[in-house]
């Protein structure tokens, strides 16, 4: 079994971007958080560190949990027209009185560095190179490419159908000629699919749900989940210990897709800068 090392790839990507960014004007990433969720705080901290490393200005707007949807939309509208803002993202989860998709769709597509607005999702499906694509989904494809793992013609099973992961990586891999099945909480007999996958991508948000008996011999396993187990140790959606001796490649948690996500967020901010220049926004 070989570990797919996201940390090493992130370092290479960020070092390259740090050089490129020296030649550009200062870019700004704005991250909005409503209320406070422990997991979100960790993600925000990793984005702040990434921005500091590559030389992007990081602006964090921490808003009260009682802010209304209308007030949040007004803040987004102001940031959308602010020339100094290159990339804008709203950390999820949001409190239940705020509709996630309404917020995501309000962000100007050329500043939507999370790639979650309907326009960017549509551009992705249509294979339009101007799409800003979910950094997590792109990170999955990039890690496969880095290790020269064939995609075309392979059977890929994705467990989880969120826009952020499942649906975005489905489009990317279909566009790369994989045969792709997407499973979700209503899929019957899940492991009849997972056991057939050449490449298995798991993004369910359930610690250690996928076990050794659920994977095919010599499969490639991409574990997107991040959790703390009952001993406080970080783990993924895949039960690493029961899977590791059976598979050809696996992403570790931590050190796998989380690292690729941060690296691709940085790439998206640079892409957003050039898209903004091109479209005048
Ligand atoms: P969501 O909660 O948005 O989606 C989870 C998906 O899993 C849903 O489609 C759900 O199905 C499906 N699901 C849940 N339970 C089962 C089950 N028992 N069998 C089959 N499918 C199931 O999560 P995200 O996609 O946002 O994130 C998934 C995981 O990845 C989380 O642990 C999250 O923390 C992590 N994550 C990690 C990132 C990183 O950088 N490494 C980035 C983003 C997320 P249904 O649609 O039917 O409800």
């Amino acid at each position: 079994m070989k570990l797919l090392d996201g940390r090493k790839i992130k370092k290479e990507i960020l070092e390259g971007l740090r050089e490129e960014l020296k030649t550009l004007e200062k870019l700004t990433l704005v991250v909005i958080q409503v209320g406070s969720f422990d997991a979100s705080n960790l993600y925000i901290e990793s984005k702040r560190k990434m921005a500091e490393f590559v030389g992007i200005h990081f602006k964090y707007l921490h808003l009260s949990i009682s802010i209304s949807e209308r007030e949040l939309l007004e803040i987004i509208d102001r940031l959308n027209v602010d020339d100094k803002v290159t990339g804008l993202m709203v950390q999820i989860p949001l409190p239940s009185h705020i509709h996630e998709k309404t917020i995501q769709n309000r962000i100007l597509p050329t500043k939507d560095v999370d790639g979650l607005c309907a326009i960017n999702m549509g551009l992705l499906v249509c294979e339009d190179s101007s799409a800003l694509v979910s950094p997590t989904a792109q990170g999955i494809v990039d890690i496969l490419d880095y290790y020269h793992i064939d995609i075309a013609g392979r059977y890929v099973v994705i467990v989880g159908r969120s826009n952020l992961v499942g649906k975005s990586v489905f489009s990317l891999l279909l566009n790369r000629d994989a045969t792709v099945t997407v499973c979700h909480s209503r899929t019957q007999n899940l492991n009849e699919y997972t056991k057939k996958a050449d490449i298995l991508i798991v993004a369910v948000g359930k610690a250690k749900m996928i076990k050794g008996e659920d994977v095919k011999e010599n499969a490639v396993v991409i574990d997107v989940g991040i959790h703390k187990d009952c001993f406080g140790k970080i783990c993924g959606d895949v039960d690493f210990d029961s899977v590791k001796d059976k598979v050809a490649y696996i992403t570790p948690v931590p050190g796998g897709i989380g690292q690729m996500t941060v690296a691709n967020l940085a790439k998206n901010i640079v892409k957003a800068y050039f898209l903004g220049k091109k479209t005048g926004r």
Side-chain angles (χ1 to χ4, degrees):
M1 178 274 296
K2 190 172 164 74
L3 284 179
L4 302 174
D5 184 357
R7 201 163 265 139
K8 175 176 154 210
I9 307 172
K10 178 181 93 173
K11 188 166 176 285
E12 287 175 21
I13 292 172
L14 293 189
E15 282 173 355
L17 287 177
R18 185 165 60 173
E19 289 311 303
E20 183 180 355
L21 283 162
K22 284 180 187 159
T23 66
L24 304 177
E25 62 199 87
K26 190 92 171 165
L27 313 191
T28 297
L29 169 67
V30 177
V31 176
I32 299 177
Q33 184 183 26
V34 181
S36 190
F37 294 90
D38 278 353
S40 298
N41 295 341
L42 288 176
Y43 288 135
I44 291 167
E45 185 52 20
S46 64
K47 286 163 193 163
R48 191 190 61 71
K49 279 194 189 142
M50 169 278 287
E52 199 174 285
F53 181 83
V54 295
I56 289 172
H57 178 54
F58 182 80
K59 196 167 167 194
Y60 169 54
L61 292 184
H62 190 191
L63 307 175
S64 158
I65 196 150
S66 60
I67 193 170
S68 69
E69 184 175 285
R70 217 186 83 212
E71 287 168 316
L72 179 56
L73 290 171
E74 283 168 8
I75 291 171
I76 292 171
D77 289 344
R78 280 202 294 278
L79 294 166
N80 278 341
V81 295
D82 183 341
D83 288 344
K84 290 195 276 310
V85 176
T86 320
L88 170 58
M89 56 195 295
V90 178
Q91 198 67 41
I92 44 177
L94 287 166
S96 55
H97 66 278
I98 298 179
H99 191 238
E100 202 175 287
K101 287 209 165 58
T102 305
I103 297 302
Q104 286 165 347
N105 284 328
R106 192 67 158 241
I107 297 174
L108 195 68
T110 51
K111 295 190 180 191
D112 170 33
V113 287
D114 252 345
L116 290 175
C117 77
I119 289 182
N120 277 319
M121 294 290 296
L123 290 171
L124 167 63
V125 170
C126 296
E127 298 186 64
D128 187 306
S129 62
S130 68
L132 282 168
V133 175
S134 152
T136 305
Q138 187 62 54
I140 293 170
V141 176
D142 289 355
I143 208 167
L144 294 171
D145 284 342
Y146 187 92
Y147 284 94
H148 306 291
I149 295 167
D150 289 338
I151 293 173
R154 309 291 295 280
Y155 181 50
V156 181
V157 173
I158 303 166
V159 192
R161 58 175 161 180
S162 66
N163 287 357
L164 184 68
V165 191
K167 284 183 193 149
S168 293
V169 78
F170 164 77
S171 297
L172 288 170
L173 293 172
L174 188 65
N175 295 347
R176 292 280 300 273
D177 300 323
T179 302
V180 192
T181 296
V182 182
C183 302
H184 46 79
S185 67
R186 304 293 298 273
T187 300
Q188 313 246 317
N189 306 321
L190 179 68
N191 90 345
E192 283 179 16
Y193 298 92
T194 59
K195 274 191 307 193
K196 293 196 183 107
D198 301 317
I199 301 174
L200 176 63
I201 299 168
V202 190
V204 285
K206 300 220 155 83
K208 302 187 187 181
M209 189 185 101
I210 297 292
K211 312 278 184 204
E213 72 247 29
D214 303 319
V215 303
K216 181 171 142 177
E217 202 83 40
N218 290 323
V220 178
V221 175
I222 305 289
D223 188 355
V224 182
I226 306 180
H227 313 270
K228 268 192 188 150
D229 69 13
C230 54
F231 307 107
K233 204 173 151 230
I234 307 261
C235 69
D237 287 344
V238 176
D239 184 6
F240 185 88
D241 288 336
S242 80
V243 163
K244 68 178 189 324
D245 294 329
K246 198 170 175 188
V247 299
Y249 296 92
I250 185 166
T251 55
V253 181
I257 297 304
Q259 304 289 315
M260 298 303 294
T261 298
V262 173
N264 276 293
L265 174 63
K267 283 209 253 176
N268 271 358
I269 298 164
V270 176
K271 185 170 179 180
Y273 168 77
F274 287 111
L275 287 172
K277 285 261 161 226
K278 207 166 144 189
T279 58
R281 304 294 289 272

